[in-house]
Each structure stands twice: as structure tokens, then as C-alpha cells.
Amino acid sequence: MSSFHVGGKVVDKVDLLRKKHWAWRLDVWPFAILYAIWMTTIVPSIDFVDAAIVFGGLVAFHILVFLFTVWSVDFRCFAHFSKVYEIHLADACKITPAKFCGSKEVVPLQFRKQMTSSSATVDLEEIFFDFRKQCFIFSKEKENFSKLPYPTKETFGYYLKCTGHGSEAKVAAAMEKWGRNVFEYPQPTFQKLMKENCMEPFFVFQVFCVGLWCLDEYWYYSFFTLFMLFMFESTMAKSRLKTLTELRRVRVDTQTLMVHRCGKWVKLSGTDLLPGDVVSIGRSSGQSGEDKSVPADMLLLAGSAIVNEAILTGESTPQWKVSITGRGTEEKLSARRDKNHVLYGGTKILQHTPDKTFPLKTPDGGALAVVLRTGFETSQGKLMRTILFSAERVTANSWESGLFILFLVVFAVIAAGYVLVKGLEDPTRSKYKLFLSCSLIITSVIPPELPMELSIAVNTSLIALARRGIFCTEPFRIPFAGKVDICCFDKTGTLTSDDMEFSGVGLPGNTELEADMTKVPVRAMEILASCHALVFVDNKLVGDPLEKAALKGIDWSYKSDEKAMPKKGVGLAVQIVQRHHFASHLKRMAVVVRIQDEFLAFVKGAPETIQDRLTDLPQSYIETYKKYTRQGSRVLALAFKPLPDMTVSEARSLDRDLVESGLTFAGFAVFNCPIRADSATILSELKNSSHDLVMITGDQALTACYVASQVHIVSKPPLILSPTKNGRGYEWVSPDETEMIQYSEKEVEALSEIHDLCIGGDCIEMLQQTSAVLQVIPYVKVFARVAPEQKELIMTTFKTVGRMTLMCGDGTNDVGALKQAHVGVALLNAVPPTQNKGLSLETSKVENTKSGKSKKSKSLSEAAGNSTSQNGEGSSANQTGGNRHQTAVEMQRKKLKKLMDEMNEEGDGRSAPIVKLGDASMASPFTAKHASVAPTTDIIRQGRSTLVTTLQMFKILGLNCLATAYVLSVMYLDGVKLGDVQATISGVFTAAFFLFISHARPLPTLSAARPHPNIFCLYVFLSLMGQFAMHLLFLISSVKEAEKYMPDECIEPDSDFHPNLVNTVSYMVSMMLQVATFAVNYMGRPFNQSISENKPFLYALIASVGFFTAIASDLFRDLNDWLKLVPLPRVLRDKLLIWAFFMFLSCYSWEKILRWAFPGRVPAWKKRQLVIAANVEKKRG
């Protein structure tokens, strides 16, 4: 078998390869033969200059083939490796990652003998490869590769029996298998990064151009350009190196822990931990008093801990972690369900309580835990991997710019071919000069400043966003924001605020909410006061804001000895004996309490789960809680049951199921979560600017629908998909249950025309089972009770049907979706609580994270664009033009750096910034330091502006290049060359205009009109062709007119530059065309400022028109002499100026008509959705 389909989240396919001997590589032996043929047959048969031209062509081709092995992984495999069908013959493999997970790579395949812990000398061989810090092992039974297994899916009984690795041999075997608990990745050297940058296609192309200029005897200019290129590349490599060094600082905290190995407790460093080790873990602090973080992911076996997980989740509420002692021994550990038993690597323990009753005692009073995962497999390591190998980087020279250049090359080849044919007809011409000219014409089409200009446009947006507190780690995603047509929002903490307000208690038999606490039964108050997970950390009450709101609302106090009592009036104290923590899969929590000598069980949870556990259900139970949820409130049902007399230890060991069954209803606790002040206005602006809005939340469907209707996501009558009462099939139900429609996947599209649809997480599972995901999800407006993986599925489905997605959320549960969306916006409003100096340092580090990020964003924007600046128009030596480019970009760089530095001043400034993983920001391309959804409109505005700017740049560059190719070919045939100064002035003009264009600011409001998302559309094509035809007409007629006035002097074809009339006219005309192109193709309203508002551009236009009139009228003779322009006859001058005016008018009218005829439209995704859904049907059939 030569390839394996792994089909995992990271790796999709593995192909087995074997490296060829160097002599048999496809970039070696065929060329050896070609060079031999050249030596033996070509050199003797033709003259030396022609042979040298052939040799030059061969070398260029050889270099190109070699470079292709660097640029394309597939081509490298084809040239350097051969496919093999037996795994033992292979020594490398080509990895194809899963969709949207980066590009292919070739990695070495490794073989090692496995040490077995038994005394038998059977040597097992292990075949594996490492890909992006994950190890994949070949399994002979499955005949496939799979991820290296960690002990994370065993039964609870297995973990409780764990005593650590029993012998040195076992420790050695585990170390061999899993390696050390460190984040190791090779630090790239400056030379290596420099080499990578110099291998980029654009850079190579520019060096090639410089070579051509050298041959055309522009020595000074060529070397100057080369020097500038290398300077740029090296500054860029330097900043990338800095970013990678920042990342390397994230490491496992070096702390010593007590580890139970070989039957005794030993002290070990955190980096030596292995999966399966049993350790004693607790709150530990370094010399500076700063809390140490947990070194690896571990499962609590005994004791409990309170942990700050802000580093991973951005969630500031400390989490309570409990041991697995009460769980059934046959149950298996589930990573998602049992989060409250797991301590994650990188998080900080705020306090811990050991368990004295557990058989294995810890020597230092820590809690007992077993290590599950180490290194890059921990949660912290996973985030590190996400940063290092995130979704494919969107770069400037994408396939669109490549295709566009190909389209231009066709025209250049025609022009060059014409010159070649005509030139060969004249036997006196030098063939070397002729080939050189043809190459120059072809290369003049690829504007060397293209990547530069794109980078300026994107940099301008980066600065504008940074001013508004929005950071971007992948700058070239900005144009994507301009194409977005569907915006998805998380509800809690994004559209609504994090603060909960306690509204009151809903009592059985009473439809009105009771806000006066004196009228609420004591039992309901007792449940609210004690059934929670609030704790004291350093004498401060911390925990879920909802539970704190309830405690405050009922006016009870809660003490650190786990006792709750009323602040006023007479009431009995409630002592908590045992807590059964909230579990998201159970949707409820319970406590066993003691009031005086009586034991009771108190339970609170989602009304629909509590309802099945009540002994008798009050009549109005369902309609009461639904009434409150329809108003957008969060409702919890409260229940209790008395327990028989028993001892405290018996109460503690009660089975959870026993505690939570046979309950008596005590009331509903109702909370309100206020919608943020600006959510509605911002979402309405998004809706009016032709975006579809979607809400994705973990909350209840009725609440979600209510909030969605408040913020303009839902405007038509909503329908919620739910199982039918008899449990057979599904139906659409309106929130007030007056309307019911039978569910059928075929009718979803028709339904979505008249209703807004809402589905829950359980229904998404049903859709996956019936393969109806593609038919239903694209039409749904509200997704409720959604698990994090389902959020990701929703995003990928939208992408599959061809929608451009924006996802806005916070917290870790959004990370997957933020990564998958085209534009992910993480809102950072949670900063870890300052609890002592240690934690405030922590906050500063989270801030500093940003500085690491800003550096990263900066280096990326440099990487994509500025590396490839080559000063110059494709015509001649224009050092000044080049300088203008560089200074423009340099200024931008400094501006951006200054801004980023200002924004990161919040760090403590003394210690070196350590990149800590904080907040969801690490996993999303955009991070906003705002607690509202306002940044989405800023990002879309900048995105549209950048998109429009890049589109107009492509058009302008295209038109300029087509004109240049024509001018070069015509002039060459007439023996006319461009003067040094002329080319320089032309370069300065272009550079200045491009800079002014990219400085156009976006308008403050989003328009309903959309920009054209692609370069390839009828509008651009017609616009280019129409304008080019008019330019060509103007050029040809002007040159023809000039020839009438030319004396029949003979111009030597390959002589040096001489001023003459044809040269003067064609130069003036090409300059006029350049300026007209800028003025006509500038795109102002409804996205950017119009020409009259963009003052610098306006003044530049006026100045250039004045300049032309001056040089055409010969007002300043010295200026014309310096520019090597000859005086024009009066009639010719008048004709030129009048023709120029008419050419401008006709181009302008043509462009206006096209913009009116072809407005930007929302992509027609429904057709694509039908096609894809039909294909899925076929596969099923």
C-alpha cells in the first residue's frame, strides 16, 4: 500500500516515499544530458553569442526546475523521491493535512525498537513519523497510522488503582514512548529564514529582472536595487526571528513535585513528568511569590482544587475541580464531560484541599492526581500548536494575483513575439540585444511593486484597526472581511453582557414573578444560598456571576466554613456537607446539607431536566418556565428532598443519582442577562449593509430566540425544531406553541422564506445521522444549546456552501469556530482577577502576549509584502522612484510599530515579556480589546476598503503594464529608447499616486452596496479591455501623427539614447495615460472617500495635469532639456492635449457605465448548496 487514508482532524492522507540517489534526481540527470548536448553539438555549430544565449536559457531553466522543488511539495516528491508500496522500504512520507489545516509537508519516517518491560527479549518494532509536534504510529492490525495514544480514555476504576510507574524499566519505556514534558521546537537561524525569504517566487523574479537590467547596461541602478532587496529581506527575517524567539519563551514551569515512582515518593522536576505518573499537586509559588502553573494535564484522584483557567479560556471565573472518588468505577473518562475532574496544563491552582481518607497519602499535603497528557498534547500545548501551525496563512500573492499576471503575460508575449519577428527580419540587428529586449518586455508586465502595493493597502488597514484596539495576527485576512456575507455571533458575553441580574423567584401556582424576598418560601432561599460552587480564595468570594447574583439578591451571607445564613431576620444556618458539581451533560448540580440535625438534598438545574426527577409535577410547571424563557430570562428550577438520619461520612458517600431523584419542587430562580447597549444598533447596521446574521449559543432555544429578535437577527416569526411529543420524528414549533409544522428536510428552504428557523444541538446530531446537514444548516438563523464541536461544524458547513463567514465570540468554547471562520473576531473583556502580586503580573503578561502578537502581525505583513519590493517601473533606472516606495513603506512600518508599542505599554515593563497563552485571542486572526460587537463593523469597513483598494490597484497596474509593453515594443522597433531621467520621473509618479490611493479612508457607515469580491469578473474584464482599447487608439494615433513631422533620419537600432520627436510624444502620451488611469479607476463612494475628499490625491492629480500642460507647451525649456524632450510643433501639441482630454472623458464614461451595470452582489450560494447536497445524496444512494 503506497498511501494511507488517516482521515483525522490533523492528517488526512499519508503517502510512502523513498529518497532517490542524488544522481537520479529529476533536477540532475536530465540537465547533465542537456549540458553535454550543448557542449558537443551546439557550441561547434553556431557562433559564440548565440551559443551563450542558448546556455543562458538552459541555466535559467535548470534554476527554475530547482526552485520548483522548493515551491511545490508535490513537485519535490516527483523529482527527489520514488513511491514505494512496502512500508519497510520507505524512509519518508508526504503528509496531506485535513482540509483548512495548512499545506502538505514531507517528513522522515522513523523506525525504532520498542523496549518491552517484561523479561522476554521479543523486540517489537515501532514505525512512526512526527508531524507538527504530534507523533503518528503505524498500527499493523489497522494497517494505518494513528495518533500516539495517551491514557485518557480509561475507566475510573483503572485510574483509582494507579500507583505510578512501578519499575525503572517502565519509566524508561514511557520516556521512550512519550518523551519529556517540554515545548521543544527548533529555533530557526537568521541564515535559514533569509534563505527561505530569498527563495520566494517574487524575490527570485526580481533578482532575475535585476540581471536583465545589468545586461542592458544599467549597472548602477541594478546593484542599488539588489542591495535594497537584500536589506528588506534581512529586516524581515530579523523580525520573524524575534517573533519565533518570543514564542519559544512559553515553557513548562520548572517546579519540583512529589511523584510516586517505583513504590516510593521522589522529588522530580515538572519537565520529567510522564503520562501515568501519580503526583502530589497543590498551590505552589516561586521565590517571587508568583503562583506556578500546573505542568501537565492531570486527573484528580483525591482532594479538590480551585483553579484559574483564564490563561486558556479567557474566562475569569475560577473553576472548582473535584476528585473522581464518587464516580462509578466502570464509567470511562470523557474529555468533554468530565472537565471538572481535570487540571489543565498552564492553569494556576489558587487553593487546594487534600483528602486524608484516600489510601495513597501525599507526603506534602497536596491533592493526588494522575498525569494524562504531557508536552504538546496538553491543552496549553494544543493552543501552542494552533499558533505555530494555524489555518493556512492567507498571503498577498494568492492564486488570484497569479492568474491576473498570467492574463497580462499573454499580452506581453504577443508584443514580444511581434518585436522578435520584426527584429529577425533585419539581419543587421544584434540577436543578443533582440532577445534581451523581448525578455524586458515580458518582465515589464509583472509590476515589481505589486506585492509592495498590496502590502501598503493592508498595512494602512492594520494601522487603522490598531488605533481602534483591534489586533490582527494574519493581516492578509483583512480583504476577506470585505467579502463577508454572513456574520455569526455568540450570545452570552458577546451580544449580552456577562453580568447577571437576579429578578426573583417563580413559585408553583403563581404566574407572577416574586421579587419581594420576604414573601418567598424559606426553602427556596435556602437552596439558592447553598446549592452553588462559590468559594473563598484569599478571603474573597469567587465563582459563577449567576450564583453570586442570587446570593446577593436573597440577601444571605456565605462564610468560608461552607455555612450560609440570612443577613437579616431569623433563619437557620445551612451547612454544606457534600457537593455534586454542575456537569454540562447532566445540566444540574446538587448539594447535601445539614440544617440543625436534619440532612437534606438540594438540587438546581435546567427546568427540563429537573422536571423528570420530581415526584409530583405542579400543573403550570412547563408553561411557567417557558413564559420566562420567552422573555429572554435564564431560568433554573429549584428542588429538594429530606434525607433519613445518618452520619456525616454516610452523607458524603451517598450516590449522586440517589441524591438527585424523588425531589419536591421549590420554585424557579429567574435571572436576566441584559443585552449590551450597542448590540442592536450594530447588528442592524450589519443587516442593512447586506449581511445575513446568525446566532450560535449554548443557551436555551426560547431565550436565544427572544434575544435574537431584540437584536434584529430574527425578524420573521420564529420556528424551533424539536422532537414530537410521542418521540417519533421531529416538528417545527413556534415559541408560543400555537403553530406546528411537520419536519421534512426537503421543505426547509421554502420554510425559511416565511419563518426564521432555530435548531438545538440535539437536532444537529439528528441531522448528522440523517446526512441532512447541508440541506438544513445553511437556512437556520439561531442555533441553541450548541456544543463547541458543533459550532465548528456549523462554520465548516457555511464555508462548504460557499459563504464568506465572520464569527464573533469570546471564551474557549468558540476557539474552533473562530479558527474555521474566514474572519474570526475574539472579544477580550475578561482579564484574570488580581488576587495578589503574582496574578497582577499574570495580567501584565496577558497584555504582553499582545505585544508578542503585534510583533507577529507586523512581521507577517512584512513577510507578505515588503520583502518583495523592487523599486522600479519595468522600464529603466529610477532610483528615486524606488526610494519613494521604500520611504513610504518604512514610514508606515514605523507608524505601525509606534502604535503597537503604545498599545502594549500596559505591561509591567521591567521583566521581559513572556508570551503567555491568554484568552481566545491566540486562536483567532482578529482580537479586539472591547466588550461589545462594535469591532465587527470596523473590521468589515476596513476589509471592504482594502478589497476595493486592491481591486483598483490590480486594474491600474494592469492598464499601466499593457501600455508599457506596447510602448517598449513600438519604441524598440523604431530604435527609440527611454532616457534615464524620463524613466525615473515616471516611477516617482506611479509611486506617489499609489501611496495616495492607499491612504483613502473608509466611510464611517457601511453601505448596502457590496464591493466586487474577485478580480476575475465581467466588470473588471470589460473595464480593462475598453480602457485599453481607448489608450491604444490614443497611443497609435499620436505616434503616427509625430512620425509625419519626423525627418527621415535613420536611427541606429541598437545605439545609445538620443532625444527625438517620436520618443518625446510616446513618453508624454504614456505619462498622460498613467495619470488618466489613476483618475478613472479610483473607487471612492460608497466604500472610501471620493476624489474630492481624498485631498492628497486630488492635489497630485491637479499638479500632474499642470505638469503635462507645461512640458507639452514647452513653457520651461530647461525642464524639457533635462527630461531630454524635444520641442513639439504647435499643431501637434494642440492635437495631443485635445485628444488626451477626450481619451480621459471616454474612459471615465465607460467606467461609470460599467459600475452602474455591474454592481457587487451577494454570492449566489443557494445554487452551490443544492449541487453539493445533491452530490451527498448520490453518495448515500
Side-chain angles (χ1 to χ4, degrees):
M1 240 175 117
S2 71
S3 68
F4 302 96
H5 271 282
V6 180
K9 272 187 180 172
V10 183
V11 176
D12 182 46
K13 189 168 153 233
V14 177
D15 294 301
L16 298 179
L17 305 168
R18 185 175 184 79
K19 209 175 175 87
K20 295 175 180 173
H21 184 271
W22 67 266
W24 295 115
R25 289 179 3 186
L26 283 187
D27 52 0
V28 178
W29 65 266
F31 288 97
I33 297 168
L34 286 174
Y35 290 132
I37 293 172
W38 178 78
M39 269 313 285
T40 51
T41 57
I42 293 178
V43 174
S45 59
I46 57 175
D47 73 83
F48 184 70
V49 173
D50 292 356
I53 291 176
V54 173
F55 183 70
L58 264 179
V59 170
F61 182 57
H62 193 171
I63 292 174
L64 196 65
V65 168
F66 166 71
L67 286 170
F68 260 101
T69 61
V70 178
W71 297 335
S72 158
V73 172
D74 289 324
F75 187 78
R76 178 154 102 244
C77 296
F78 173 66
H80 293 185
F81 295 90
S82 46
K83 267 198 168 186
V84 289
Y85 292 88
E86 161 57 38
I87 196 160
H88 286 91
L89 297 175
D91 56 9
C93 40
K94 178 174 88 177
I95 314 292
T96 309
K99 204 175 174 189
F100 307 122
C101 282
S103 44
K104 298 176 183 175
E105 279 178 45
V106 176
V107 295
L109 191 64
Q110 300 173 27
F111 299 84
R112 69 166 171 222
K113 295 274 185 283
Q114 207 177 350
M115 295 195 293
T116 45
S117 40
S118 59
S119 54
T121 52
V122 188
D123 269 342
L124 291 172
E125 188 182 42
E126 213 171 31
I127 307 172
F128 67 98
F129 65 82
D130 281 317
F131 176 65
R132 298 190 182 165
K133 300 292 162 202
Q134 283 186 303
C135 179
F136 289 82
I137 290 189
F138 182 71
S139 134
K140 289 193 173 67
E141 298 83 53
K142 292 184 192 158
E143 280 282 302
N144 206 340
F145 285 94
S146 57
K147 250 168 58 176
L148 173 68
Y150 279 78
T152 55
K153 293 192 173 79
E154 309 294 338
T155 60
F156 287 125
Y158 166 88
Y159 293 119
L160 288 167
K161 289 196 191 86
C162 271
T163 54
H165 298 290
S167 64
E168 284 303 331
K170 278 185 178 170
V171 171
M175 182 58 99
E176 174 87 1
K177 181 175 181 181
W178 287 299
R180 294 183 67 221
N181 177 30
V182 284
F183 295 136
E184 274 178 345
Y185 33 91
Q187 173 71 353
T189 56
F190 176 74
Q191 288 80 5
K192 191 179 164 208
L193 286 177
M194 193 63 196
K195 187 180 150 200
E196 255 179 49
N197 288 350
C198 294
M199 291 282 196
E200 287 293 312
F202 261 116
F203 183 81
V204 171
F205 168 73
Q206 283 165 320
V207 172
F208 175 66
C209 285
V210 169
L212 286 179
W213 293 122
C214 279
L215 295 176
D216 206 14
E217 293 165 16
Y218 290 115
W219 298 105
Y220 173 67
Y221 162 64
S222 305
F223 287 121
F224 173 76
T225 307
L226 208 58
F227 171 71
M228 286 311 282
L229 271 179
F230 278 103
M231 285 302 294
F232 259 126
E233 291 302 335
S234 50
T235 51
M236 211 198 82
K238 260 272 169 282
S239 60
R240 264 190 68 197
L241 197 65
K242 206 168 170 189
T243 310
L244 292 164
T245 323
E246 291 285 320
L247 272 178
R248 289 215 44 184
R249 291 189 173 163
V250 177
R251 53 182 179 268
V252 176
D253 266 345
T254 44
Q255 56 177 11
T256 27
L257 296 155
M258 296 301 284
V259 182
H260 195 256
R261 274 193 190 167
C262 311
K264 59 181 188 293
W265 288 97
V266 289
K267 273 190 176 175
L268 278 182
S269 158
T271 51
D272 294 327
L273 290 184
L274 294 166
D277 267 334
V278 169
V279 299
S280 160
I281 184 96
R283 178 175 181 176
S284 66
S285 42
Q287 292 90 2
S288 61
E290 184 183 340
D291 289 349
K292 294 277 191 187
S293 51
V294 180
D297 287 5
M298 40 185 88
L299 182 72
L300 270 180
L301 300 180
S304 65
I306 289 143
V307 183
N308 175 3
E309 291 187 351
I311 297 297
L312 298 181
T313 61
E315 180 57 59
S316 52
T317 312
Q319 305 295 314
W320 188 313
K321 302 287 178 174
V322 290
S323 71
I324 56 171
T325 35
R327 300 293 295 263
T329 47
E330 291 310 304
E331 266 186 275
K332 280 201 167 170
L333 176 69
S334 145
R336 279 187 213 119
R337 197 189 55 212
D338 301 317
K339 277 191 182 141
N340 61 337
H341 301 310
V342 181
L343 299 170
Y344 293 107
T347 59
K348 306 224 153 160
I349 297 184
L350 302 179
Q351 70 182 46
H352 67 277
T353 332
D355 182 357
K356 305 278 195 308
T357 58
F358 199 77
L360 187 63
K361 301 276 190 299
T362 57
D364 56 357
L368 192 71
V370 58
V371 177
L372 299 177
R373 290 181 294 250
T374 53
F376 274 102
E377 279 300 312
T378 61
S379 306
Q380 189 179 14
K382 229 186 218 155
L383 267 165
M384 292 290 304
R385 283 208 316 267
T386 309
I387 301 163
L388 286 167
F389 319 105
S390 68
E392 287 186 58
R393 296 248 174 252
V394 187
T395 51
N397 31 2
S398 57
W399 62 273
E400 273 201 331
S401 41
L403 275 178
F404 186 71
I405 287 170
L406 265 180
F407 165 73
L408 295 180
V409 166
V410 173
F411 285 91
V413 168
I414 296 170
Y418 174 68
V419 169
L420 192 62
V421 172
K422 285 281 192 218
L424 288 173
E425 286 172 6
D426 177 359
T428 59
R429 289 213 156 180
S430 144
K431 293 215 177 61
Y432 161 70
K433 286 275 186 178
L434 186 66
F435 278 110
L436 184 58
S437 279
C438 292
S439 325
L440 281 174
I441 290 172
I442 292 176
T443 51
S444 77
V445 156
I446 306 179
E449 63 268 45
L450 175 72
M452 188 90 180
E453 302 305 355
L454 292 183
S455 154
I456 283 190
V458 169
N459 265 357
T460 309
S461 289
L462 275 180
I463 291 175
L465 287 175
R467 279 207 179 108
R468 290 176 171 267
I470 301 163
F471 290 91
C472 174
T473 46
E474 294 176 26
F476 286 97
R477 274 189 194 269
I478 291 181
F480 274 178
K483 305 180 191 180
V484 165
D485 61 335
I486 184 164
C487 304
C488 309
F489 294 93
D490 175 41
K491 181 180 87 70
T492 318
T494 304
L495 293 171
T496 60
S497 70
D498 283 329
D499 308 322
M500 283 284 174
E501 293 169 0
F502 176 63
S503 306
V505 178
L507 301 172
N510 184 357
T511 51
E512 287 310 305
L513 201 59
E514 191 52 77
D516 182 0
M517 288 303 131
T518 51
K519 297 179 184 165
V520 174
V522 173
R523 186 85 340 143
M525 309 249 274
E526 287 171 348
I527 298 173
L528 281 172
S530 58
C531 187
H532 54 63
L534 297 174
V535 291
F536 276 89
V537 175
D538 297 337
N539 297 323
K540 201 166 166 239
L541 191 65
V542 292
D544 187 344
L546 180 126
E547 296 176 333
K548 278 157 87 174
L551 202 60
K552 190 174 157 201
I554 57 171
D555 207 21
W556 277 52
S557 65
Y558 176 70
K559 298 280 183 286
S560 52
D561 57 357
E562 304 205 331
K563 207 178 256 181
M565 53 204 317
K567 285 184 182 170
K568 297 189 195 113
V570 193
L572 299 167
V574 182
Q575 175 71 52
I576 300 171
V577 178
Q578 173 71 1
R579 279 186 168 112
H580 294 287
H581 282 268
F582 175 80
S584 51
H585 65 288
L586 297 174
K587 297 199 178 100
R588 59 174 186 268
M589 78 162 288
V591 288
V592 176
V593 299
R594 187 160 123 198
I595 300 175
Q596 285 175 320
D597 294 329
E598 184 189 4
F599 283 100
L600 293 139
F602 286 168
V603 184
K604 74 168 184 202
E608 57 268 38
T609 49
I610 301 289
Q611 141 187 0
D612 307 332
R613 301 186 161 265
L614 298 175
T615 42
D616 59 332
L617 193 67
Q619 268 181 331
S620 56
Y621 181 91
I622 295 174
E623 68 184 77
T624 309
Y625 89 75
K626 283 197 171 167
K627 176 187 155 196
Y628 297 130
T629 43
R630 272 183 214 120
Q631 294 162 3
S633 300
R634 176 110 178 255
V635 181
L636 292 176
L638 312 175
F640 68 96
K641 82 166 183 189
L643 296 171
D645 274 348
M646 57 179 91
T647 61
V648 172
S649 60
E650 282 172 340
R652 284 209 170 123
S653 55
L654 279 178
D655 191 47
R656 178 162 188 169
D657 250 9
L658 181 80
V659 172
E660 294 175 352
S661 57
L663 306 168
T664 312
F665 179 62
F668 293 116
V670 180
F671 299 88
N672 267 329
C673 191
I675 296 170
R676 289 193 198 278
D678 56 355
S679 293
T681 46
I682 286 163
L683 266 67
S684 118
E685 184 180 350
L686 285 173
K687 196 169 191 169
N688 296 336
S689 54
S690 55
H691 293 95
D692 286 341
L693 303 178
V694 167
M695 178 191 283
I696 307 177
T697 174
D699 221 328
Q700 217 253 358
L702 287 168
T703 313
C705 279
Y706 172 79
V707 174
S709 68
Q710 297 291 303
V711 294
H712 309 286
I713 293 177
V714 169
S715 49
K716 295 178 275 203
L719 288 179
I720 300 168
L721 186 62
S722 49
T724 50
K725 295 281 194 302
N726 56 17
R728 294 196 197 118
Y730 286 77
E731 61 184 358
W732 296 102
V733 184
S734 61
D736 54 5
E737 296 180 20
T738 50
E739 193 176 356
M740 295 188 187
I741 301 168
Q742 192 54 41
Y743 160 76
S744 147
E745 60 194 54
K746 301 276 183 291
E747 291 159 20
V748 171
E749 187 180 349
L751 253 185
S752 69
E753 298 293 325
I754 44 171
H755 289 279
D756 282 327
L757 308 179
C758 164
I759 64 174
D762 47 349
C763 299
I764 296 180
E765 280 169 26
M766 177 274 294
L767 295 177
Q768 281 172 292
Q769 284 153 11
T770 58
S771 304
V773 170
L774 283 165
Q775 275 106 313
V776 181
I777 285 186
Y779 297 102
V780 176
K781 284 281 195 181
V782 178
F783 298 89
R785 290 268 187 247
V786 184
E789 294 68 46
Q790 292 172 328
K791 286 191 180 186
E792 218 167 318
L793 171 82
I794 295 165
M795 291 328 278
T796 39
T797 309
F798 280 139
K799 276 164 86 170
T800 311
V801 299
R803 310 221 52 177
M804 276 284 174
T805 51
L806 175 142
M807 171 77 197
C808 180
D810 62 341
T812 342
N813 52 355
D814 297 329
V815 166
L818 290 169
K819 284 282 343 139
Q820 281 304 341
H822 291 107
V823 180
V825 187
L827 303 181
L828 295 191
N829 44 2
V831 173
T834 22
Q835 150 244 336
N836 58 8
K837 174 140 190 311
L839 268 183
S840 63
L841 266 169
E842 186 46 62
T843 321
S844 76
K845 287 189 180 155
V846 173
E847 295 294 355
N848 277 329
T849 308
K850 298 291 167 307
S851 86
K853 279 183 53 176
S854 63
K855 288 181 182 124
K856 178 171 171 184
S857 68
K858 192 170 126 252
S859 66
L860 276 169
S861 55
E862 290 180 17
N866 311 343
S867 58
T868 39
S869 87
Q870 174 195 6
N871 21 7
E873 266 302 287
S875 44
S876 167
N878 60 2
Q879 297 90 23
T880 23
N883 274 341
R884 283 292 279 270
H885 271 328
Q886 268 108 27
T887 45
V889 170
E890 273 307 309
M891 273 161 52
Q892 290 226 295
R893 170 82 22 73
K894 288 186 181 119
K895 234 169 156 185
L896 192 64
K897 185 173 185 310
K898 187 173 159 228
L899 254 168
M900 291 296 194
D901 291 346
E902 276 171 21
M903 295 199 60
N904 298 310
E905 293 295 56
E906 302 106 309
D908 60 333
R910 285 186 302 278
S911 57
I914 294 183
V915 175
K916 283 282 188 191
L917 304 171
D919 2 274
S921 65
M922 282 311 203
S924 95
F926 294 93
T927 305
K929 288 188 170 179
H930 290 268
S932 89
V933 286
T936 50
T937 52
D938 289 332
I939 291 169
I940 289 176
R941 272 216 316 275
Q942 284 300 342
R944 283 184 173 189
S945 171
T946 308
L947 192 62
V948 166
T949 308
T950 40
L951 186 68
Q952 73 196 13
M953 280 184 179
F954 273 117
K955 280 173 65 183
I956 293 166
L957 286 169
L959 284 165
N960 282 352
C961 292
L962 292 176
T964 310
Y966 178 77
V967 171
L968 280 181
S969 53
V970 171
M971 290 164 103
Y972 178 77
L973 285 175
D974 290 342
V976 177
K977 288 179 83 170
L978 261 191
D980 229 355
V981 181
Q982 294 180 354
T984 307
I985 293 285
S986 151
V988 170
F989 262 98
T990 322
F993 275 129
F994 268 127
L995 189 66
F996 295 144
I997 274 194
S998 64
H999 269 282
R1001 292 215 178 96
L1003 295 178
T1005 49
L1006 283 171
S1007 70
R1010 298 180 66 86
H1012 288 276
N1014 303 323
I1015 303 170
F1016 291 96
C1017 56
L1018 204 55
Y1019 156 69
V1020 176
F1021 183 73
L1022 288 176
S1023 173
L1024 274 181
M1025 290 297 95
Q1027 289 186 57
F1028 181 54
M1030 291 169 208
H1031 289 184
L1032 210 53
L1033 182 70
F1034 180 39
L1035 254 172
I1036 294 172
S1037 42
S1038 309
V1039 173
K1040 283 272 181 291
E1041 193 68 26
E1043 279 172 355
K1044 291 181 190 168
Y1045 294 90
M1046 278 274 283
D1048 293 334
E1049 61 180 271
C1050 180
I1051 300 173
E1052 287 296 311
D1054 297 318
S1055 65
D1056 287 335
F1057 170 76
H1058 291 296
N1060 62 32
L1061 196 60
V1062 169
N1063 171 54
T1064 299
V1065 168
S1066 49
Y1067 175 65
M1068 278 188 185
V1069 167
S1070 63
M1071 286 284 285
M1072 287 172 182
L1073 290 179
Q1074 263 188 17
V1075 174
T1077 307
F1078 277 101
V1080 168
N1081 292 292
Y1082 178 80
M1083 289 187 184
R1085 291 179 173 272
F1087 309 110
N1088 286 340
Q1089 297 169 321
S1090 60
I1091 292 188
S1092 55
E1093 292 166 313
N1094 187 353
K1095 290 288 186 281
F1097 186 56
L1098 179 67
Y1099 298 147
L1101 278 180
I1102 296 169
S1104 54
V1105 172
F1107 176 70
F1108 292 138
T1109 320
I1111 59 171
S1113 319
D1114 208 6
L1115 289 178
F1116 308 105
R1117 188 61 258 168
D1118 291 350
L1119 174 68
N1120 284 20
D1121 284 343
W1122 181 62
L1123 287 171
K1124 305 271 173 49
L1125 299 174
V1126 298
L1128 299 181
R1130 184 153 182 191
V1131 182
L1132 181 60
R1133 182 196 71 195
D1134 296 345
K1135 271 188 180 171
L1136 268 188
L1137 290 174
I1138 292 165
W1139 284 354
F1141 180 68
F1142 277 113
M1143 178 271 308
F1144 172 74
L1145 264 189
S1146 44
C1147 285
Y1148 185 74
S1149 320
W1150 175 243
E1151 178 67 13
K1152 276 279 173 269
I1153 291 167
L1154 285 179
R1155 283 190 201 173
W1156 170 79
F1158 299 101
R1161 289 197 173 85
V1162 177
W1165 58 273
K1166 290 191 178 178
K1167 284 180 198 159
R1168 183 165 168 185
Q1169 184 256 342
L1170 290 172
V1171 173
I1172 296 172
N1175 290 346
V1176 173
E1177 277 293 311
K1178 268 187 206 154
K1179 280 182 193 162
R1180 267 170 67 200

